[in-house]
Amino acid sequence: DIVMTQSPDSLAVSLGERATINCKSSQSVFYSFNNKNYLAWYQQKPGQSPKLLIYWASIRESGVPDRFSGSGSGTDFTLTISSLQAEDVAVYYCQQHYDTPLTFGGGTKVEIK
Amino acid sequence: EVQLVESGGGLVQPGGSLRLSCTASGFTFSSYDMHWVRQVTGKGLEWVSAIGTFADTYYPDSVKGRFTISRENAKNSLYLQMNSLRAGDTAVYYCARIARGGSYTRGYFDLWGRGTLVTVSS
């Protein structure tokens, strides 16, 4: 199984400041035949179900604010919130869909400092 | 409105069975691969099962032989039959839609339901 490791487990950021979440996979999730990284990011607000933010490692889902961005390739990925807003308080998960079983990172809780 | 609504959760004794349902609306259900994903309260996400548009299925080892995923396109419905339930199966169960364009076992989830809670306890 591909193990997804997120860091940190939690972080507190001031409003308007940058938040950076890391995700590392135990093996590469990059497919050279289509030049894509099989990595997605989700946001889960308290009491809600997960919501897709980013797919193919760096493509924002429709309707997601452009302060959210994804980067990275191979085994190392980053989700960045460029200017944290109050509504961004949530747990963020990465997920690999390179191979079965599909696996998620353990989550990173983002709070306001 | 495009949505998924789960039902069927509840309290069940260890070794018992439960059938979850998920009703889709607002999109052509038959054209999408569908999955179940669970989440222990306060913990992370675990993929539980997958079913493709041709009703091909796939399971992780943790539930293989105990859980069965199925679909009924005429009713826009997805199901999860859970047998031989264990305390470790206690979780919120979400149905989730795989975004179009990939293999039914290798996709990301672009739509989630609100979940239904399954509690396995004596």
Side-chain angles (χ1 to χ4, degrees):
Chain A
D1 298 4
I2 298 176
V3 177
M4 307 299 291
T5 303
Q6 287 183 232
S7 62
D9 292 337
S10 65
L11 74 162
V13 176
S14 300
L15 288 172
E17 295 300 305
R18 178 185 301 262
T20 301
I21 301 168
N22 301 301
C23 174
K24 188 175 183 66
S25 57
S26 60
Q27 66 184 73
S28 176
V29 297
F30 176 74
Y31 259 118
S32 57
F33 86 94
N34 62 3
N35 203 39
K36 287 183 175 180
N37 286 283
Y38 283 54
L39 190 286
W41 287 97
Y42 302 89
Q43 174 193 63
Q44 186 175 34
K45 294 183 178 181
Q48 296 185 16
S49 56
K51 171 191 170 185
L52 177 67
L53 291 178
I54 302 283
Y55 58 95
W56 301 129
S58 62
I59 301 177
R60 258 190 314 275
E61 172 73 333
S62 175
V64 173
D66 60 8
R67 62 180 180 274
F68 290 93
S69 64
S71 62
S73 184
T75 61
D76 293 281
F77 301 90
T78 300
L79 175 70
T80 301
I81 310 173
S82 61
S83 176
L84 190 75
Q85 304 300 303
E87 62 264 32
D88 300 335
V89 168
V91 179
Y92 294 83
Y93 295 94
C94 60
Q95 177 229 337
Q96 66 80 19
H97 52 103
Y98 178 89
D99 198 8
T100 50
L102 305 179
T103 50
F104 296 83
T108 295
K109 186 175 185 179
V110 174
E111 300 172 308
I112 305 296
K113 185 186 292 183
Chain B
E1 181 185 1
V2 175
Q3 65 176 354
L4 299 168
V5 178
E6 302 93 336
S7 60
L11 176 64
V12 61
Q13 292 190 338
S17 298
L18 207 58
R19 189 195 197 205
L20 306 183
S21 299
C22 170
T23 302
S25 58
F27 65 97
T28 305
F29 176 73
S30 60
S31 298
Y32 285 85
D33 305 319
M34 299 295 297
H35 290 228
W36 289 95
V37 177
R38 68 185 178 185
Q39 183 173 36
V40 174
T41 302
K43 301 296 184 181
L45 299 160
E46 181 187 11
W47 170 64
V48 171
S49 59
I51 187 165
T53 55
F54 296 103
D56 34 355
T57 59
Y58 203 93
Y59 307 91
D61 289 343
S62 57
V63 306
K64 194 177 296 181
R66 300 189 300 125
F67 289 11
T68 303
I69 187 173
S70 61
R71 65 190 301 160
E72 191 169 357
N73 291 335
K75 294 186 176 182
N76 291 331
S77 292
L78 177 73
Y79 305 103
L80 184 67
Q81 177 66 43
M82 304 186 294
N83 299 329
S84 304
L85 283 162
R86 310 163 179 166
D89 296 318
T90 295
V92 173
Y93 284 73
Y94 297 102
C95 71
R97 186 180 78 176
I98 286 287
R100 298 291 300 278
S103 159
Y104 83 101
T105 58
R106 289 179 174 171
Y108 55 90
F109 305 104
D110 67 349
L111 181 66
W112 297 67
R114 299 193 68 174
T116 186
L117 177 62
V118 172
T119 302
V120 184
S121 175
S122 54

